[in-house]
């Protein structure tokens, strides 16, 4: 009887890990988030997937942060996502009937993080008197400086978004005479819904900056006049930021400035 009991215990030990081994295995497992729902392609942000977790809620996840994919007993997708993953959470603006295919995420509905307080030597916001003075010097100049002179921090259509940088800066450029920013324009994929039809995505403005540029820099120059600047650090914010910077007077015209992000400066 004793031999049979011993043999049974030996057989069980082959099937199951020891408690110490199980604890050690779990200890070294990478901690993760678990998302359960329906996975679809994120058509706005390349390199990301959307996980629909409810009829009006979904997440955008970088593909590189997804550690594993599987399905549960109900056939829903299960994503194991790194704890330090960059995840955007949003709600659908337009719900489709079956609830599994979300409306496309609008970049302009992602509010940018607060603009940091300028450090020593960083550009500071142009004041209303700075803009008036510039307007008196170049009231109708079709130039980057002319757009800065036309910057009023609003849209001609009177609407607003949680991310207004491209919305208000495109308004200033159009006021300065750059009517090619009005429809149609191959760079522009999204506009405000008012009759003014201003551009509302920073990456669309970036495309336009590149199409206009006669000179470009990977860092912000000093004492070289007015530049149209696209700023980007996707680990902090997906959608980028656009601003006009007067490098002679170290002033910026726009909803904010992010000097610690990558700088793409253009002049024409």
């Amino acid at each position: 009887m004793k031999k049979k009991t011993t043999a049974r215990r030996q057989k069980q030990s082959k099937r199951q890990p020891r408690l110490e081994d199980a604890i050690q295995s779990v200890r070294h497992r990478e901690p993760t988030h678990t998302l359960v729902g329906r996975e679809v392609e994120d058509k706005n942000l390349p390199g990301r997937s959307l996980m629909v977790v409810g009829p009006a809620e979904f997440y955008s996840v970088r593909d590189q942060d997804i550690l594993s994919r599987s399905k549960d007993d109900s056939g829903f997708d299960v994503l194991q996502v790194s704890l330090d993953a960059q995840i955007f959470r949003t709600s659908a603006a337009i719900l489709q009937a079956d609830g599994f295919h979300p409306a496309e995420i609008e970049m302009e509905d992602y509010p940018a993080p607060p603009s940091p307080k300028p450090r020593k030597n960083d550009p500071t916001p142009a004041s209303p008197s700075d803009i008036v003075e510039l307007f008196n010097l170049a009231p109708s100049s079709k130039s980057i400086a002319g757009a800065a002179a036309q910057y009023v921090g609003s849209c001609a259509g009177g609407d607003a978004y949680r991310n207004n940088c491209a919305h208000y800066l495109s308004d200033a450029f159009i006021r300065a005479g750059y009517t090619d920013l009005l429809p149609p324009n191959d760079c522009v994929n999204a506009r405000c819904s008012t009759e003014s039809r201003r551009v509302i995505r920073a990456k669309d403005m970036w495309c336009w900056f590149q199409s206009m540029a006669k000179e470009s820099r990977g860092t912000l120059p000093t004492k070289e006049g007015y530049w149209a600047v696209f700023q980007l650090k996707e680990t902090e914010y997906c959608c980028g930021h656009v601003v006009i910077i007067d490098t002679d007077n170290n002033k910026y015209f726009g909803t904010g400035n992010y000097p610690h992000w990558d700088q793409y400066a253009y002049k024409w």
Side-chain angles (χ1 to χ4, degrees):
M1 189 67 166
K2 187 175 181 181
K3 290 183 179 180
K4 289 184 179 180
T5 302
T6 301
R8 189 182 304 115
R9 286 178 179 172
Q10 289 176 343
K11 187 175 181 181
Q12 287 175 344
S13 67
K14 291 180 182 179
R15 290 200 305 264
Q16 298 179 352
R18 294 181 308 149
L19 176 61
E20 293 84 355
D21 293 336
I23 292 172
Q24 189 73 8
S25 175
V26 171
R27 180 180 293 133
H28 291 292
R29 183 192 67 181
E30 183 173 357
T32 62
H33 293 290
T34 301
L35 298 177
V36 180
R38 294 293 192 194
E39 183 184 3
V40 296
E41 179 186 0
D42 188 332
K43 294 183 179 180
N44 276 316
L45 304 174
R48 303 182 74 95
S49 295
L50 293 181
M51 176 61 88
V52 184
V53 299
E57 183 181 3
F58 48 95
Y59 297 82
S60 176
V61 186
R62 291 191 307 182
D63 290 335
Q64 68 191 63
D65 290 328
I66 299 173
L67 302 177
S68 68
R69 290 177 167 90
S70 60
K71 289 187 179 293
D72 66 10
D73 293 340
S74 300
F76 284 91
D77 300 310
V78 179
L79 299 186
Q80 297 296 331
V81 181
S82 172
L83 273 185
D84 60 355
Q86 183 194 76
I87 300 175
F88 300 121
R89 179 177 178 271
T90 189
S91 297
I94 301 173
L95 297 179
Q96 296 185 10
D98 60 12
F100 293 134
H101 302 287
E104 291 186 359
I105 294 175
E106 295 184 350
M107 295 179 182
E108 58 277 7
D109 279 340
Y110 287 137
S115 181
K117 183 179 179 180
R119 301 166 298 185
K120 185 180 179 181
N121 300 323
D122 284 344
T124 57
S127 67
S129 60
D130 291 329
I131 295 174
V132 169
E133 182 179 352
L134 181 59
F135 182 81
N136 290 334
L137 291 173
S140 59
S141 170
K142 188 178 179 181
S143 63
I144 299 174
Q150 295 285 345
Y151 186 81
V152 293
S154 64
C155 169
D159 60 336
Y161 293 85
R162 291 190 292 174
N163 173 18
N164 276 308
C165 69
H167 192 195
Y168 295 165
L169 203 71
S170 64
D171 180 86
F173 273 104
I174 292 168
R175 289 175 186 269
Y178 290 99
T179 54
D180 56 302
L181 272 173
L182 294 170
N185 186 297
D186 291 341
C187 281
V188 180
N189 298 291
R191 298 181 178 276
C192 68
S193 58
T194 71
E195 291 183 2
S196 64
R197 307 296 291 159
R198 289 342 190 203
V199 185
I200 53 176
R201 290 187 181 170
K203 289 184 177 180
D204 289 355
M205 289 297 290
W206 185 22
C207 174
W208 183 71
F209 289 169
Q210 293 175 85
S211 73
M212 296 292 293
K214 294 185 175 169
E215 188 175 353
S216 62
R217 302 284 181 84
T219 57
L220 187 67
T222 57
K223 301 294 182 183
E224 292 189 31
Y226 287 81
W227 292 74
V229 183
F230 176 72
Q231 302 170 327
L232 180 66
K233 188 174 184 180
E234 289 190 322
T235 55
E236 287 192 20
Y237 182 59
C238 66
C239 310
H241 178 75
V242 284
V243 63
I244 292 172
I245 298 181
D246 172 6
T247 64
D248 290 338
N249 298 295
N250 214 28
K251 300 282 186 180
Y252 73 80
F253 302 76
T255 58
N257 184 47
Y258 300 83
H260 62 293
W261 293 3
D262 292 336
Q263 307 289 303
Y264 303 88
Y266 303 91
K267 180 184 274 192
W268 55 86

